[in-house]
Amino acid sequence: MALMDMMQAVLEDSGLMTLWQQAAPWLALDERQLIFVFATPVFIAVTLWEYLRIRHDPRLMDAREAVRNFALGAGYQVTELLFAGVIAFPVYALCYHYRLFDLELNGFTGLLTFLGVDFCFYWMHRASHRMRWFWAAHVVHHSSERMNFSTAMRQNATNIFNGMWIFYLPMALIGFNPVWIGVAYAFSLVYQFFIHTTLVGRLPGWTELLFNTPSHHRVHHGRNPGYIDRNYGGTLIVWDRLFGTFVDEDTREPPEYGITRPVPSNNLLVLWTHEYVDLFRDMARPGAPWSRLRHLWHPPEWERPATTKQSPGSGE
């Protein structure tokens, strides 16, 4: 018996393989998660390289914040790993079961998967800025006042619970396998990691025309009045050009990073939850139930008009 066969026999006799086969789908440890596992050492290495280049400029790099950003990213990955399989995956499986077409994976459908995921990402990302419920989770990514590779890891552990994954469900209904969707989404996020930097200037014209680049994404993270809520694209910038949300970076107006209402604490729990607290506080103000609920889908800056008492005999 070969050594590999002996090792396999040990695993099978232990019962671990059966347990793993049952647990893996629930944990959603699919190709998407494996891509992130393999990419993380690359992310760390690139971040260290960038740190050595800009560590002397506190406007661009703060080592404590960089560590905190990776901790935020780890929290995001843990909740995705534990809960995606019981929250999102069953819904995707249901949609795929009632799919309109049976699509075989090949070069053409692979390209369609990439384009479809990127198109859905644009609308998901746009909604996460313009609908306060989604912004409550996304805001943590924008709350840093620095732009570097570690900022890409600054994610919210509540993402899986607030439902931004619903934007990709139409693809499963069409007939794209949810595993393909997850793989395309993972590669999109890997790509987007590398556009969170100030070290790369303008790229060749055709690249800037088609793809989301560091220059375009610096605009997206800017809180300058002309930069807010622009350049939502994931891998491609063509969606912003098509739907009127594109703004070019102006060298005369460098982006000021962060959000208009800075977070009062660097505590991880506060960073994850501060906008939810503000949202529910606004919803708790007196008013009709429907009026209170409007906070969920209105833009983050929207304020509900103050209620006024009717004067006696006003007839209103």
Side-chain angles (χ1 to χ4, degrees):
M1 179 180 288
L3 181 59
M4 288 298 296
D5 293 334
M6 294 179 186
M7 293 169 62
Q8 184 70 24
V10 170
L11 286 173
E12 291 177 354
D13 290 345
S14 70
L16 182 62
M17 295 300 291
T18 301
L19 179 63
W20 175 251
Q21 289 170 359
Q22 295 174 349
W26 178 75
L27 292 173
L29 188 63
D30 51 21
E31 287 83 352
R32 182 187 67 159
Q33 298 293 344
L34 290 175
I35 290 168
F36 291 141
V37 168
F38 287 116
T40 297
V42 178
F43 294 162
I44 295 173
V46 173
T47 301
L48 288 174
W49 169 81
E50 182 188 51
Y51 170 76
L52 294 174
R53 296 286 302 274
I54 62 176
R55 68 184 186 277
H56 300 301
D57 190 341
R59 298 170 302 168
L60 301 178
M61 174 61 71
D62 179 271
R64 291 171 299 180
E65 182 181 78
V67 172
R68 186 161 53 246
N69 290 344
F70 272 88
L72 289 165
Y76 161 76
Q77 279 299 307
V78 167
T79 54
E80 288 281 320
L81 183 65
L82 292 177
F83 297 105
V86 294
I87 295 176
F89 191 74
V91 185
Y92 275 95
L94 182 65
C95 291
Y96 186 68
H97 179 77
Y98 292 103
R99 61 191 179 274
L100 299 176
F101 305 101
D102 291 318
L103 301 178
E104 180 182 353
L105 182 60
N106 53 43
F108 178 67
T109 57
L111 176 62
L112 289 180
T113 304
F114 161 73
L115 291 174
V117 166
D118 208 60
F119 178 75
C120 292
F121 179 91
Y122 170 84
W123 289 106
M124 180 274 293
H125 197 184
R126 187 167 176 171
S128 71
H129 280 255
R130 303 309 300 149
M131 298 177 70
R132 195 171 179 189
W133 171 249
F134 295 127
W135 174 246
H138 187 56
V139 64
V140 67
H141 182 63
H142 283 266
S143 58
S144 172
E145 296 184 348
R146 297 173 182 84
M147 182 68 159
N148 53 59
F149 288 131
S150 77
T151 308
M153 305 300 294
R154 195 179 175 97
Q155 301 292 337
N156 201 319
T158 69
N159 278 10
I160 188 61
F161 305 109
N162 83 334
M164 286 188 281
W165 46 267
I166 65 175
F167 287 86
Y168 303 90
L169 290 176
M171 292 193 66
L173 278 171
I174 291 171
F176 293 96
N177 190 292
V179 173
W180 308 349
I181 297 170
V183 169
Y185 178 72
F187 278 121
S188 174
L189 293 187
V190 170
Y191 174 86
Q192 290 179 61
F193 172 87
F194 294 99
I195 60 176
H196 288 80
T197 184
T198 59
L199 293 180
V200 179
R202 300 276 298 187
L203 296 175
W206 66 270
T207 309
E208 298 283 340
L209 183 66
L210 296 176
F211 293 95
N212 196 8
T213 64
S215 176
H216 298 330
H217 206 59
R218 285 193 290 269
V219 168
H220 178 70
H221 275 259
R223 61 184 174 190
N224 316 47
Y227 289 167
I228 293 175
D229 294 338
R230 299 292 179 175
N231 298 2
Y232 296 115
T235 302
L236 302 175
I237 202 66
V238 293
W239 314 120
D240 289 280
R241 296 185 185 278
L242 283 172
F243 299 114
T245 52
F246 175 75
V247 167
D248 215 346
E249 184 179 27
D250 188 344
T251 55
R252 297 167 300 180
E253 187 183 2
E256 297 177 10
Y257 305 112
I259 53 179
T260 56
R261 292 184 299 170
V263 188
S265 171
N266 286 322
N267 180 280
L268 295 186
L269 288 177
V270 174
L271 289 170
W272 278 326
T273 62
H274 70 93
E275 184 63 21
Y276 290 107
V277 172
D278 291 345
L279 168 61
F280 292 132
R281 183 184 295 124
D282 288 344
M283 292 177 66
R285 285 173 41 213
W290 180 253
S291 180
R292 296 186 186 197
L293 289 173
R294 291 168 66 191
H295 285 285
L296 294 172
W297 59 82
H298 272 61
E301 69 274 13
W302 180 77
E303 294 184 5
R304 181 157 42 102
T307 57
T308 57
K309 277 190 174 184
Q310 296 179 0
S311 59
S314 64
E316 297 180 357

